[in-house]
Amino acid sequence: MDYVIAATGRRPNVGKLGLEALNLAQDEKGVPIVNAHTMQTSIPHIFLAGDASNLLPLLHEANDQGRIAGDNAARFPHVVPGFRHSALSIVFTSPQIAMVGETYRNLQERAKQQAKACDCFAVGEVSFEDQGRSRVIGQNKGLLRVYGELGTGRFLGAEMIAPAAEHLAHLLAWAHQSEMTVAQMLSLPFYHPVVEEGLRTALRDLNANLELGSAIEDRCMECGVGD
Ligand SMILES: Cc1cc2nc3c(=O)[nH]c(=O)nc-3n(C[C@H](O)[C@H](O)[C@H](O)COP(=O)(O)OP(=O)(O)OC[C@H]3O[C@@H](n4cnc5c(N)ncnc54)[C@H](O)[C@@H]3O)c2cc1C
């Protein structure tokens, strides 16, 4: 691919709310900064939720944030961290793009902060070029990468440009929120022939890279039955 046209990005519509009169701390784009766990702004009794905050501008995030902000405003000054779902973003392109849990960039930054660059997580991947069901439906393009924690084998996150990414991402988000290990995910059922068999290949690759399972020796078996 030679070119990428990125036509995304939207700004919160906070222009006419008179926020400037409050002197709230703002980010470099003029959006009020809130604590992601409590939805508290720099002024303790003012809470913000949804696109008006500096957090992810997505509908399900706005729902979570609204509940946390409302609860904390109602019980102020007893402010507590609220429940957040696992991160999940989907872009309805063709093929679709999706992210679940922690991104590769997040994991790398965290590893650097802990001064043990890149030795605390492992990566597994699958290309959909040779994936059985994806080939049959003529959508055999894309890549899925999954991340897991060394030592515990806990599933940390995933990023993909893939066929049926919206569905793969939901399965992975449910596993992430359930704090499953990669081995537990691999013990769940996979039908044949489905795109999810590609996910199983990526998880097997990850389990091997976590030194918790054997490496995939016969890639051919992964195109179809593979069990
Ligand atoms: C083109 C587009 C595509 C999107 N696609 C997705 C998607 O696929 N998936 C997803 O999860 N999210 C998507 N989003 C984002 C999602 O719509 C927002 O994250 C979500 O609606 C935020 O909810 P909110 O309540 O914070 O704000 P909003 O839903 O924008 O609600 C704010 C309300 O406040 C009103 N308002 C504004 N100013 C004032 C004022 N001064 N006085 C009174 N009322 C006022 C507005 O009219 C509006 O009704 C998309 C957004 C856009 C623009």
Side-chain angles (χ1 to χ4, degrees):
M1 187 188 299
D2 295 324
Y3 297 99
V4 171
I5 299 176
T8 58
R10 42 186 193 265
R11 276 179 301 173
N13 182 11
V14 291
K16 294 182 186 155
L17 295 178
L19 293 179
E20 59 284 356
L22 294 173
N23 205 17
L24 287 176
Q26 300 175 353
D27 67 12
E28 68 282 0
K29 293 179 182 138
V31 182
I33 294 172
V34 302
N35 178 314
H37 302 290
T38 62
M39 305 313 296
Q40 203 168 23
T41 65
S42 57
I43 300 178
H45 63 282
I46 296 182
F47 299 83
L48 267 181
D51 285 7
S53 74
N54 62 322
L55 306 175
L56 267 182
L58 293 172
L59 187 60
H60 60 277
E61 291 284 335
N63 286 342
D64 283 354
Q65 294 167 16
R67 194 189 56 250
I68 297 169
D71 282 353
N72 277 331
R75 70 160 82 89
F76 188 81
H78 182 53
V79 173
V80 295
F83 170 77
R84 299 296 293 267
H85 290 96
S86 287
L88 170 63
S89 312
I90 300 167
V91 186
F92 295 97
T93 46
S94 178
Q96 297 178 337
I97 303 169
M99 284 166 282
V100 172
E102 295 195 72
T103 61
Y104 186 75
R105 186 196 284 182
N106 286 350
L107 290 168
Q108 271 203 319
E109 279 169 8
R110 195 145 52 86
K112 272 185 208 147
Q113 281 165 11
Q114 291 170 355
K116 42 180 182 174
C118 288
D119 66 353
C120 49
F121 72 98
V123 181
E125 68 176 38
V126 64
S127 160
F128 285 90
E129 271 181 41
D130 209 21
Q131 202 275 319
R133 179 58 180 265
S134 307
R135 270 171 37 195
V136 169
I137 59 177
Q139 294 180 22
N140 52 323
K141 285 182 183 158
L143 184 76
L144 162 65
R145 298 182 90 198
V146 284
Y147 314 124
E149 188 172 58
L150 282 168
T152 65
R154 196 164 60 88
F155 170 62
L156 295 175
E159 293 173 284
M160 70 197 87
I161 301 178
E166 62 182 287
H167 304 301
L168 296 174
H170 274 84
L171 290 180
L172 288 167
W174 290 14
H176 185 268
Q177 193 167 310
S178 303
E179 299 182 352
M180 294 178 81
T181 64
V182 179
Q184 285 171 329
M185 292 162 77
L186 280 168
S187 73
L188 295 172
F190 288 85
Y191 201 73
H192 170 75
V194 292
V195 174
E196 285 77 0
E197 287 175 305
L199 166 59
R200 182 176 57 189
T201 301
L203 290 172
R204 281 182 175 154
D205 189 38
L206 175 58
N207 219 28
N209 294 336
L210 288 167
E211 311 278 345
L212 295 171
S214 50
I216 297 170
E217 281 171 15
D218 188 351
R219 282 265 160 198
C220 228
M221 288 300 285
E222 299 295 321
C223 305
V225 183
D227 218 358

